[in-house]
Amino acid sequence: MRSPYEELGLAFGDAMVPYLYGTDCTPALAAAVLERLGDVDAILLVLDDGVRGHADAVAAELARRVRVEPVAVEAAERHKTLPTVHHLLETAVARGLTRRSAVVAMGGGTVGNLAGLAAALLFRGTRLVHLPTTPVAAFDATVSLKQGVNLSAGKNLAGTYFVPALIACDLAWLSTMPRHDLLTGLAEMVKNVLVAAPGLEPKLVRALEEPRLALRALLEIGVEAKAPYVAADPRERGGALIFEYGHTAGHAVEFVSGGAIRHGEAVAWGMLVAAEVARRHHGLAADDVAAHHRLVARLDLPGAATRLDGLGRDAIRAALAADNKRGYGPCAPGEVLMVLLDSVGRTVPGPAGGPPLVPVPIEAVMDAFETVAMNALEAV
Ligand SMILES: NC(=O)c1ccc[n+]([C@@H]2O[C@H](COP(=O)([O-])OP(=O)(O)OC[C@H]3O[C@@H](n4cnc5c(N)ncnc54)[C@H](O)[C@@H]3O)[C@@H](O)[C@H]2O)c1
């Protein structure tokens, strides 16, 4: 009989992680999770508060064969912190998890990062399964070993790398995402096309016409673009840093908005800021800048002026100064490291053959930010 799901193998250096995906296949995926975990005595199901319906169905299937201990987390940037990780660890121990147990993360990137870090710390490493339910998580965050949480100065400043045992996604879970969040969450796919896979633009544009019907294609774009880079650079400290494109200004916007501007949307703004910096200082051609606006406009973002105007400029400067790429390459005080393009699909090389990160004065980023903030997308 034909399997109700397909399977990809994601390589992270020497580690190979199975990624199972399909549509309307939750019972089969839950059975596969148990089969792949083998000898497991309990599961801590860390679930996103916003996906209780999907999580109940998964928990019921898992509970046929193993003790399931659910713990709900509010998926908000202000809770993506070490105290929440601590709460998960205390809960795991209080509920009797052992070294034979596993942590299953069900939700978006926020819950994936929280549970991922908790799994890495519990008993110095417990098996981790990701069940992603957002486009950011399913098509991007799980194609990464990074498990980071926020500190008071900025995003993802504490964390580790951790290899999951398995990723499994019923694409039907994503169907409950509000249309706007589904679309803006696809900014990471736009990023993949701009930075690494311009040949995938027609496929992405087709998928963005009716994203709910094109989730498989979107998953393939995410994996196809990023997988070769994380295979060669599993810690994303060298060549795979190109996927930080749009994340310097993007993280600052996301952090300063307190998460009101969600990750995908923030990355979209961040890419427009990066394109503006590159246009002014690295000769990015007008056609290439236009390609950014053309693709970002398909994400149905609200007008830039209304979204970005309310954000405190000093707070954005401070968040840029605390960016978590500091130290990857030379960067003077008052500068920040950015991934920049000199044309679509080609990054500006970093200094002295180092990682593809360019030091940029924070004031130059702020100038570009003001330009993006002033230009409502409709006017482009
Ligand atoms: N390499 C990495 O680890 C990596 C990569 C990309 C993003 N991230 C992180 O991921 C986070 C953003 O993740 P996200 O965009 O998935 O958002 P999220 O996890 O913050 O979730 C956003 C909202 O969507 C809700 N939600 C989740 N699934 C849903 C569903 N199926 N139906 C309806 N609502 C649903 C959540 O409850 C929440 O309210 C950021 O913190 C970012 O830093 C990490």
Side-chain angles (χ1 to χ4, degrees):
M1 208 180 75
R2 212 169 145 250
S3 169
Y5 55 79
E6 291 169 64
E7 177 166 352
L8 292 164
L10 285 181
F12 295 96
D14 294 337
M16 186 62 83
V17 179
Y19 190 144
L20 316 182
Y21 67 100
T23 306
D24 294 321
C25 56
T26 295
L29 287 182
V33 167
L34 291 171
E35 187 193 312
R36 309 278 170 126
L37 285 174
D39 183 24
V40 61
D41 63 358
I43 283 175
L44 187 76
L45 177 62
V46 183
L47 63 102
D48 185 322
D49 227 1
V51 300
R52 278 179 189 270
H54 305 310
D56 285 350
V58 170
E61 293 293 334
L62 296 175
R64 289 168 186 264
R65 289 203 0 231
V66 70
R67 180 163 61 93
V68 177
E69 294 291 345
V71 51
V73 172
E74 189 189 339
E77 283 299 318
R78 67 182 182 286
H79 295 310
K80 202 178 104 164
T81 58
L82 289 170
T84 307
V85 173
H86 183 232
H87 168 68
L88 295 177
L89 294 171
E90 292 285 7
T91 304
V93 173
R95 298 206 192 159
L97 265 76
T98 74
R99 291 175 189 277
R100 275 175 52 214
S101 309
V103 173
V104 173
M106 181 156 192
T110 302
V111 162
N113 281 176
L114 284 164
L117 185 53
L121 294 173
L122 184 64
F123 310 127
R124 300 192 194 92
T126 340
R127 287 172 296 171
L128 168 69
V129 175
H130 283 298
L131 305 180
T133 65
T134 66
V136 169
F139 311 151
D140 190 67
T142 50
V143 190
S144 171
L145 302 182
K146 292 189 291 188
Q147 309 299 342
V149 294
N150 307 329
L151 298 181
S152 55
K155 265 189 69 75
N156 297 344
L157 294 175
T160 190
Y161 302 88
F162 197 60
V163 181
L166 180 68
I167 307 161
C169 179
D170 184 339
L171 292 165
W173 296 332
L174 276 64
S175 64
T176 49
M177 289 290 294
R179 183 180 156 82
H180 171 73
D181 291 339
L182 184 73
L183 268 174
T184 57
L186 297 172
E188 300 273 15
M189 303 301 96
V190 168
K191 174 198 73 179
N192 288 348
V193 164
L194 288 172
V195 83
L200 291 175
E201 180 174 344
K203 186 171 176 179
L204 176 64
V205 168
R206 272 197 307 280
L208 290 175
E209 300 278 324
E210 205 40 84
R212 286 189 201 284
L213 302 178
L215 296 172
R216 270 168 201 261
L218 289 161
L219 192 147
E220 285 156 18
I221 292 169
V223 171
E224 195 178 320
K226 198 168 173 186
Y229 289 86
V230 293
D233 177 20
R235 295 192 161 223
E236 298 176 59
R237 287 178 165 168
L241 275 167
I242 61 170
F243 294 102
E244 287 291 309
Y245 189 54
H247 281 60
T248 306
H251 272 166
V253 163
E254 185 183 6
F255 187 71
V256 172
S257 79
I261 297 182
R262 293 227 167 111
H263 187 74
E265 181 184 342
V267 168
W269 296 127
M271 290 189 290
L272 298 185
V273 172
E276 184 59 21
V277 170
R279 183 187 72 77
R280 293 179 187 195
H281 303 286
H282 292 274
L284 183 68
D287 278 0
D288 289 330
V289 177
H292 284 68
H293 287 274
R294 191 170 66 232
L295 283 169
V296 166
R298 290 184 172 273
L299 302 176
D300 199 17
L301 264 53
T306 50
R307 289 301 269 174
L308 304 180
D309 261 11
L311 302 178
R313 299 316 193 238
D314 287 343
I316 292 180
R317 280 189 186 85
L320 286 170
D323 183 79
N324 73 353
K325 294 184 290 300
R326 281 179 308 159
Y328 272 136
C331 184
E335 293 180 334
V336 64
L337 292 172
M338 292 182 85
V339 178
L340 294 176
L341 300 183
D342 54 21
S343 62
V344 165
R346 206 178 68 182
T347 47
V348 177
L357 295 172
V358 182
V360 179
I362 287 177
E363 286 314 312
V365 185
M366 293 305 295
D367 288 346
F369 177 83
E370 294 302 343
T371 302
V372 170
M374 274 183 334
N375 295 338
L377 272 175
E378 296 76 18
V380 177

